[in-house]
Amino acid sequence: MTDTGTGDGRIVVGVSGSLGSLAALHHAVAEARRTDVEVLAVLCWTPPGEELGYRRSVCPPVVGAGRDAAVARLRKALDEAFAGRYAGARLRCQAVRGETAHTLLRCADRPGDVLVLGAGRDRGCLSRLVRPSVTAYCVRHASCPVLTVPRPPLQRDLEALERGYGLRDLVAGN
């Protein structure tokens, strides 16, 4: 990222609460400190049953509960990321209703914006077909620069344990 020195643009970061998104949030805040720009942390959410299900059976209390749950998830993610302390940068947070990839691209719409995302987790072919990668979609369709932050080593280790790999090494103490 370049240091414009003018305070133009923002760093928009997608936050979900996953280890990858928390790594992206840390990277975004570190870059914001260096370049003196604002960070916009965005948690995207949809009503239970996704938008199509909601359109079939409109229920405002359900949307309110979904929004409240999203705000609580965003607060929890920020608390986990910074242990309840000041992040050291101008940080604005929003829980925005909408499908994640499209919503993040709408949020990163100003000249000079940079979108920061966690690289996500390794997934199989079937999983990618059913639910395409948000990061890959944003990289292909963004009108601003997109920075993907690699998965933290802890996330890679946990994913290996979930798949059954690495258990031997964990038990052997390697």
Side-chain angles (χ1 to χ4, degrees):
M1 286 187 241
T2 58
D3 184 0
T4 61
T6 60
D8 292 9
R10 304 166 294 181
I11 298 174
V12 179
V13 60
V15 177
S16 66
S18 70
L19 289 175
S21 77
L22 297 181
L25 180 60
H26 274 272
H27 189 86
V29 166
E31 187 64 23
R33 283 188 209 123
R34 190 180 73 76
T35 57
D36 192 32
V37 296
E38 177 184 65
V39 173
L40 173 60
V42 178
L43 185 137
C44 303
W45 66 277
T46 57
E50 306 288 330
E51 291 293 340
L52 182 61
Y54 177 75
R55 278 187 241 134
R56 289 184 177 170
S57 166
V58 178
C59 182
V62 169
V63 171
R67 182 181 50 249
D68 293 345
V71 168
R73 243 177 64 211
L74 181 56
R75 283 187 181 136
K76 182 179 180 198
L78 292 168
D79 284 344
E80 289 175 355
F82 302 112
R85 296 182 176 190
Y86 173 62
R90 290 179 288 148
L91 180 63
R92 197 163 51 101
C93 306
Q94 290 182 335
V96 181
R97 180 177 166 184
E99 189 275 322
T100 304
H102 296 110
T103 302
L104 288 171
L105 293 178
R106 277 197 324 267
C107 289
D109 63 348
R110 293 183 186 172
D113 280 357
V114 174
L115 180 59
V116 178
L117 301 169
R121 54 187 301 153
D122 284 337
R123 301 179 313 155
C125 293
L126 181 60
S127 179
R128 285 193 304 267
L129 282 173
V130 173
R131 186 156 273 229
S133 166
V134 168
T135 302
Y137 183 90
C138 289
V139 167
R140 284 192 309 272
H141 295 93
S143 60
C144 67
V146 179
L147 174 67
T148 59
V149 176
R151 294 173 313 165
L154 176 60
Q155 182 178 357
R156 282 184 247 136
D157 293 345
L158 290 172
E159 289 171 4
L161 285 172
E162 286 175 359
R163 290 188 303 270
Y165 308 131
L167 189 56
R168 230 181 359 252
D169 295 336
L170 184 65
V171 171
N174 294 332

